[in-house]
């Protein structure tokens, strides 16, 4: 139950329907509420190219041939906007702990306690437990609940939005955040070198040490009609890059050459998405990947994307060195907060 302060003297009481609750009611049925039924041109059953599991590039970043790694990351980012990274150096146990505490928050913590860290409907901040971010056309909804909170830098962290339970939640997330930064530094470096820039230039233009690391946990409960529903609707991420840990239930799809494909699940790999901001910094050389998620009839899917974003006041535009007469600027330079505002309100950039 949520109490919402009205604009004058009214105080409204509003119940937010969590997909997890709807899923437990729908379990014994073969229907879902109509707002979860996608239009025909979006329904996964009708729009997925079946029988083909798309093998997005898989890159072993422990390869001693660094030049080769740079080349593979740059090529994947130009061609696909997405790749999977293996042998990334984050111990399996660190990832398993991140997954365990996140799963426990969604499945073991009583609902009333989860609601204590719910996103405030009136607030500008994205952080907190919640159910759907974007205003979707036709009032359609995704079959997913989520939790957002920042994990880096320390000055940006608000522990109010971190679950208190399970008790090891904080430690597991802090450890993952620390390890993840080693991987993201490596990726920024490769993206920079891949454009003929010096190793540090891309990260610097992206916001340097102030880059915000925003964790989201997606919780997709079993869905009686996975053929008709979507988890997260098709989008590109607003971030520079997004580094995602999935669980073992496949569901991520990528749009390529006019078709939707399933992305293969590789245990312990990290899935790296190029987001809108790196597309802009690179003046369109690297492509933000268009992706969506499907849901499963019997199993709960979860994922842990970390969005690496500029600080909200940071200006992002094509890196000046990449602009010349033959390559005119394709994007406006603007503050990240203004980019976000336009995107969420579906205004032109
Ligand atoms: C997202 C997203 C993909 C996934 O939350 O932005 O694209 O695999 N998630 O859950
Ligand atoms: Ni995404």
């Amino acid at each position: 139950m949520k109490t919402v302060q009205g604009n004058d003297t009214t105080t409204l009481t509003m119940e937010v329907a969590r997909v997890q609750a709807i899923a437990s009611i729908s379990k014994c049925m073969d229907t879902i509420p109509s707002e979860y039924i996608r239009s025909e041109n979006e329904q996964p059953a009708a729009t997925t190219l079946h029988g083909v599991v798309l093998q997005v590039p898989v890159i072993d970043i422990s390869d001693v041939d660094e030049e080769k790694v740079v080349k593979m990351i740059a090529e994947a980012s130009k061609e696909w906007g997405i790749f999977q990274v293996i042998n990334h150096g984050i111990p399996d146990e660190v990832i398993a702990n991140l997954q365990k505490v996140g799963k426990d928050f969604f499945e073991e913590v009583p609902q009333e306690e989860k609601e204590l860290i719910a996103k405030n409907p009136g607030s500008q901040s994205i952080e907190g437990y919640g159910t759907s971010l974007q205003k979707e056309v036709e009032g359609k909804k995704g079959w997913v609940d989520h939790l957002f909170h920042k994990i880096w830098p320390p000055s940006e962290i608000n522990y109010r939005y971190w679950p208190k339970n399970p008790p090891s939640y904080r430690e597991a997330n802090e450890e993952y955040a620390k390890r993840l930064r080693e991987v993201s530094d490596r990726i920024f470096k490769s993206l920079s070198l891949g454009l003929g820039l010096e190793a540090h230039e891309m990260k610097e233009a992206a916001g340097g040490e102030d880059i915000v690391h925003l964790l989201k946990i997606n919780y997709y409960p079993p869905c009686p009609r996975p053929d008709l529903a979507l988890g997260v609707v098709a989008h590109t991420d607003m971030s520079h890059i997004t580094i995602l840990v999935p669980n073992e239930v496949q569901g991520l799809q990528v749009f390529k050459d006019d078709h939707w494909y399933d992305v293969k699940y590789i245990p312990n790999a990290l899935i790296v998405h190029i987001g809108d901001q790196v597309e802009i910094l690179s003046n369109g050389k690297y492509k933000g990947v268009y992706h969506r998620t499907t849901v499963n009839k019997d199993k709960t899917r979860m994922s842990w994307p970390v969005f690496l974003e500029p600080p909200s006041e940071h200006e992002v535009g094509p890196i000046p060195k990449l602009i010349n007469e033959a390559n005119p600027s394709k994007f406006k330079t603007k503050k990240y907060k203004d980019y976000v505002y336009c995107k969420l309100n579906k205004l032109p950039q």
Side-chain angles (χ1 to χ4, degrees), residues 216 218 220 232 235 237 244 252 291 293 301 303 305 307:
K216 180 187 186 192
N218 286 304
Y220 307 96
V232 178
H235 67 285
D237 290 351
L244 180 144
L252 178 61
H291 58 286
T293 56
R301 179 163 190 271
S303 67
F307 302 96

Side-chain angles (χ1 to χ4, degrees), residues 8 11 16 53 63 85 126-127 136 139 143 151 160 195 203 205 219 252 268 297 336:
D8 43 42
T11 300
V16 181
V53 175
D63 196 317
V85 165
I126 193 177
E127 289 184 280
E136 278 198 43
W143 193 265
I151 56 172
R160 180 193 172 312
L195 292 175
K203 181 174 170 184
Y219 187 87
L252 178 61
N268 293 310
K297 193 164 171 55
Y336 184 57

Side-chain angles (χ1 to χ4, degrees), residues 246-260:
N247 75 347
E248 73 291 351
V249 182
Q250 199 153 293
L252 178 61
Q253 294 193 325
V254 168
F255 193 70
K256 181 132 184 4
D257 305 331
D258 276 346
H259 293 286
W260 284 104

Side-chain angles (χ1 to χ4, degrees), residues 202-257:
M202 177 72 101
K203 181 174 170 184
E204 217 159 86
E209 294 309 314
D210 297 328
I211 292 173
V212 174
H213 294 52
L214 174 67
L215 172 76
K216 180 187 186 192
I217 305 179
N218 286 304
Y219 187 87
Y220 307 96
C223 176
R225 294 301 304 266
D227 52 330
L228 303 179
L230 284 176
V232 178
V233 64
H235 67 285
T236 58
D237 290 351
M238 286 187 275
S239 55
H240 286 302
I241 57 174
T242 304
I243 304 181
L244 180 144
V245 168
N247 75 347
E248 73 291 351
V249 182
Q250 199 153 293
L252 178 61
Q253 294 193 325
V254 168
F255 193 70
K256 181 132 184 4
D257 305 331

Side-chain angles (χ1 to χ4, degrees), residues 137-315:
V137 277
E138 298 166 7
K140 293 290 179 200
K141 293 179 176 168
W143 193 265
V144 61
D145 295 324
H146 59 242
L147 169 67
F148 274 106
H149 61 73
K150 294 175 190 172
I151 56 172
W152 192 263
S155 60
E156 288 279 333
I157 293 179
N158 187 346
Y159 287 110
R160 180 193 172 312
Y161 294 111
W162 288 45
K164 300 261 178 303
N165 281 309
S168 57
Y169 188 90
R170 179 164 165 172
E171 193 189 343
N173 277 261
E174 285 179 342
E175 183 60 23
Y176 180 67
K178 186 176 117 208
R179 296 298 195 136
L180 185 66
R181 283 185 303 119
E182 294 162 15
V183 179
S184 62
D185 276 356
R186 183 83 195 279
I187 293 169
F188 270 120
K189 216 163 124 184
S190 297
L191 290 172
S192 208
L193 293 169
L195 292 175
L197 300 167
E198 283 169 45
H200 63 95
E201 286 182 285
M202 177 72 101
K203 181 174 170 184
E204 217 159 86
E209 294 309 314
D210 297 328
I211 292 173
V212 174
H213 294 52
L214 174 67
L215 172 76
K216 180 187 186 192
I217 305 179
N218 286 304
Y219 187 87
Y220 307 96
C223 176
R225 294 301 304 266
D227 52 330
L228 303 179
L230 284 176
V232 178
V233 64
H235 67 285
T236 58
D237 290 351
M238 286 187 275
S239 55
H240 286 302
I241 57 174
T242 304
I243 304 181
L244 180 144
V245 168
N247 75 347
E248 73 291 351
V249 182
Q250 199 153 293
L252 178 61
Q253 294 193 325
V254 168
F255 193 70
K256 181 132 184 4
D257 305 331
D258 276 346
H259 293 286
W260 284 104
Y261 296 89
D262 293 311
V263 175
K264 188 179 165 195
Y265 166 67
I266 301 176
N268 293 310
L270 297 172
I271 304 177
V272 180
H273 300 61
I274 299 296
D276 299 345
Q277 305 311 305
V278 158
E279 178 166 329
I280 295 169
L281 288 174
S282 72
N283 199 33
K285 286 273 190 319
Y286 296 142
K287 300 284 185 300
V289 65
Y290 198 51
H291 58 286
R292 70 179 186 185
T293 56
T294 59
V295 290
N296 189 281
K297 193 164 171 55
D298 315 298
K299 294 180 198 147
T300 295
R301 179 163 190 271
M302 291 186 73
S303 67
W304 288 257
V306 174
F307 302 96
L308 278 76
E309 304 181 326
S312 60
E313 298 288 335
H314 187 77
E315 283 195 349

